[in-house]
Amino acid sequence: MVDPKLLLIKLLNYGFGNNAAKLLSDYFSNRKMQTRLNDILSAFIGLILGVPQGSILGPLLFTIFINDIAAALKEVLVKLFADDTTLVLAHSNLKTLLSMFKKVILILNEWCKHNRLYINWSKTFNMFITNKRVVVPDFLEIEDAKICTTKKFKLLGIHLDDKLQFIDHAANVCLSVNKRLHTIKKLFYLPYSVKIHFFKQNIHSSLFRLLYFTFHLFS
């Protein structure tokens, strides 16, 4: 959904020169797509939106395009990773927190309208992380959006829960390691050195990351 014209304006504001902007403008011009169904091909149609899928520049250009979300949402911690965006708000009072959150989402909606992007609300969740005994809403309704509340969520490979106990994350890492150990067991015909190499590359690293993550979390 990236609008190339808006992207070029942002690149110029970030300090890109006119020659670089012209080069990228040519990169986006005269793009076409075609659909194939079995042996039938559709006619070509022109593409006016989006970055080239599967390209090296595509993810980078998309990241640049959404980079100014953080500038628009000044009162919230924004974490961007590719097309995953995480907003973090904190307050001791739940009512105040909900009010803050609604204001942030309204600003986010305005940013999306200005940049001609749309949020996939079916893949959007909120999580209340607290050790207090409070009743949190099952969902939040803002304008036409309905954001469901979840107790568990996988974020960039980490399984989070609303108590930050990370029991599920440790269990998933152990399950993954167990499957890989079973794979090594089946490779009984391979030399011992090859098995050790496989262990270091696929199992040792997973356990080390889990221990490193746990140490830094609770230290």
Side-chain angles (χ1 to χ4, degrees):
M1 296 302 297
V2 171
D3 188 326
K5 294 180 181 178
L6 287 176
L7 174 61
L8 291 174
I9 292 173
K10 292 189 179 190
L11 290 173
L12 290 172
N13 288 329
Y14 283 137
F16 280 67
N18 290 327
N19 289 334
K22 289 179 180 178
L23 180 63
L24 281 173
S25 178
D26 183 67
Y27 178 69
F28 281 104
S29 64
N30 297 320
R31 293 176 57 221
K32 297 179 180 180
M33 67 167 289
Q34 187 180 46
T35 301
R36 182 189 186 101
L37 179 60
N38 295 326
D39 295 328
I40 302 174
L41 288 174
S42 70
F44 282 101
I45 61 171
L47 283 176
I48 59 173
L49 295 175
V51 294
Q53 297 296 305
S55 65
I56 296 175
L57 279 178
L60 175 61
L61 293 174
F62 178 80
T63 302
I64 293 174
F65 188 78
I66 65 170
N67 185 63
D68 58 336
I69 289 182
L73 304 175
K74 297 179 180 179
E75 297 182 0
V76 59
L77 178 62
V78 181
K79 294 292 185 179
L80 301 174
F81 185 85
D83 59 346
D84 287 319
T85 302
T86 305
L87 309 180
V88 182
L89 292 91
H91 201 278
S92 58
N93 183 275
L94 179 60
K95 186 177 181 180
T96 304
L97 180 65
L98 292 175
S99 178
M100 291 168 56
F101 181 77
K102 289 181 179 180
K103 290 180 181 178
V104 167
I105 295 299
L106 290 175
I107 297 173
L108 178 60
N109 280 337
E110 285 300 314
W111 182 91
C112 289
K113 291 176 183 177
H114 179 74
N115 288 273
R116 301 172 190 173
L117 290 177
Y118 300 92
I119 298 174
N120 189 342
W121 293 111
S122 64
K123 294 184 179 180
T124 304
F125 302 91
N126 69 77
M127 178 186 288
F128 295 91
I129 300 175
T130 178
N131 57 2
K132 296 181 179 180
R133 293 184 178 180
V134 294
V135 179
V136 298
D138 294 329
F139 61 88
L140 299 178
E141 208 162 355
I142 303 172
E143 291 187 337
D144 297 329
K146 186 176 181 180
I147 311 172
C148 294
T149 301
T150 183
K151 292 182 177 295
K152 299 177 182 179
F153 190 71
K154 185 178 180 181
L155 179 64
L156 303 179
I158 303 295
H159 292 79
L160 296 173
D161 60 79
D162 59 355
K163 300 299 181 184
L164 292 184
Q165 295 177 333
F166 295 97
I167 296 174
D168 286 335
H169 180 68
N172 277 278
V173 171
C174 291
L175 180 62
S176 176
V177 167
N178 187 51
K179 289 180 179 178
R180 294 172 186 175
L181 284 172
H182 184 66
T183 301
I184 293 180
K185 187 178 180 181
K186 291 193 296 183
L187 302 177
F188 62 91
Y189 55 87
L190 292 177
Y192 179 77
S193 59
V194 175
K195 294 180 181 179
I196 290 296
H197 179 74
F198 184 89
F199 175 84
K200 289 181 178 180
Q201 292 294 321
N202 296 278
I203 298 174
H204 181 267
S205 58
S206 296
L207 293 175
F208 178 80
R209 284 196 300 269
L210 178 62
L211 291 173
Y212 180 85
F213 173 76
T214 306
F215 174 78
H216 282 271
L217 180 67
F218 297 105
S219 61

